[in-house]
Amino acid sequence: MINYNGDLSQTESVNISIKNRGFKYGDAIFETIKINNGRVVFFEDHYFRLMASMRMLRMKIPMRFTLEFLEQEILKTVASQEKSSSFRARLTVYRKDGGLYTPNTNEVDFLIEVSVNSFQTKELYSIDLYKDFYNFSGLLSTIKTNNRMVNTLASIYASENDFDNCVLLNERKGVVEVTNGNIFIIKGKTIKTPAITEGCIKGIVRKKVIEIIEKHPDFNIEETVISPFEIQKADEVFITNAIVGIQPVTKYRKKEFSVEVSSKLQSSLKLLEITGK
């Protein structure tokens, strides 16, 4: 079952128009959200990011789009699925049909898709650089729009070359993120992650991990410019997203990494997912 504008329907009975603006122009944004044991994880952060993105893209926010309404719509969709302890939901918001580049309206439709979350952290995880195309730095790149062509091509490259993931670069050849999340590197007592101004997604788990590190007495966090060379010199590397949480990286080209600090941060994040504190 999927949730289309608040109505639950069988997947095959929902037909998206050929005039759909998400399909024609990528005029849509989405949130990927984890649900554990009937609880929507970090939903307040997802909600405020969604609202900020809609305002930035000049979408009209419906009066009913309160935090409580969207959370209940997600849980309603989860309740229609076969039972499981963990789900992943994709909430997509797109401008209503019509218009060319200029839309006929800024009003929106929404769609919620839910599936069982079967992800498990991998013990071995290798990454490489993707250099064919770049993510351009700038505020628009920080929003999760439906235009994910660079991510798609980088994922294909990773699959063809037996990597688990690829690092995306910006036009200045700085590290931005990986195909499906944010990236952190650890060197000594310093943990770095690309600054938002580098063009990375404003990841929800990125934010939570930064908060965890800021409270840690043994490490300091830097949101900064990172060169690919720094990845090779790092002691540890890990990636983050809403479904994975933290996935330690064990290999980048010929460099192998330890996972000691990454694993400890992973445990802290799992506790935060459960308690919210």
Side-chain angles (χ1 to χ4, degrees), residues 32-171:
T32 306
I33 302 160
K34 184 189 288 186
I35 302 94
N36 280 343
N37 298 311
R39 180 174 177 272
V40 186
V41 178
F42 303 142
F43 186 64
E44 187 173 294
D45 294 278
H46 282 287
Y47 175 78
F48 286 118
R49 182 173 70 173
L50 177 67
M51 294 300 105
S53 298
M54 290 181 70
R55 283 192 289 269
M56 191 182 301
L57 297 184
R58 302 293 194 268
M59 292 177 172
K60 185 176 181 180
I61 300 174
M63 291 293 292
R64 64 175 178 165
F65 264 35
T66 63
L67 185 149
E68 293 76 15
F69 169 77
L70 290 175
E71 184 173 27
Q72 287 307 309
E73 289 301 313
I74 291 169
L75 291 174
K76 180 171 78 176
T77 314
V78 167
S80 71
Q81 315 298 312
E82 293 184 6
K83 288 188 178 181
S84 177
S85 61
S86 185
F87 291 90
R88 59 183 296 158
R90 174 175 165 137
L91 167 60
T92 306
V93 177
Y94 47 91
R95 242 179 290 263
K96 286 182 178 291
D97 295 356
L100 299 174
Y101 284 137
T102 305
N104 288 344
T105 178
N106 286 320
E107 293 184 349
V108 298
D109 291 320
F110 74 89
L111 185 70
I112 301 172
E113 307 161 76
V114 170
S115 59
V116 172
N117 174 29
S118 57
F119 177 84
Q120 292 188 348
T121 305
K122 294 183 178 181
E123 291 187 13
L124 299 176
Y125 199 89
S126 63
I127 63 173
D128 197 11
L129 289 183
Y130 180 69
K131 299 182 288 185
D132 289 356
F133 299 98
Y134 301 115
N135 258 18
F136 286 90
S137 58
L139 204 53
L140 194 60
S141 294
T142 68
I143 300 175
K144 293 190 76 171
T145 69
N146 274 25
N147 183 358
R148 311 246 57 89
M149 185 53 69
V150 175
N151 306 65
T152 298
L153 293 173
S155 296
I156 293 170
Y157 173 85
S159 178
E160 290 175 343
N161 292 277
D162 295 323
F163 298 117
D164 293 291
N165 215 325
C166 276
V167 177
L168 307 182
L169 305 175
N170 61 24
E171 75 278 12

Side-chain angles (χ1 to χ4, degrees), residues 227-243:
S227 74
F229 182 70
E230 290 182 76
I231 299 176
Q232 208 148 0
K233 293 295 182 180
D235 299 324
E236 294 189 37
V237 176
F238 63 89
I239 66 173
T240 64
N241 71 32
I243 303 302

Side-chain angles (χ1 to χ4, degrees), residues 177-188:
E177 56 196 5
V178 292
T179 62
N180 64 341
N182 298 105
I183 185 170
F184 290 74
I185 67 170
I186 304 173
K187 182 67 176 178

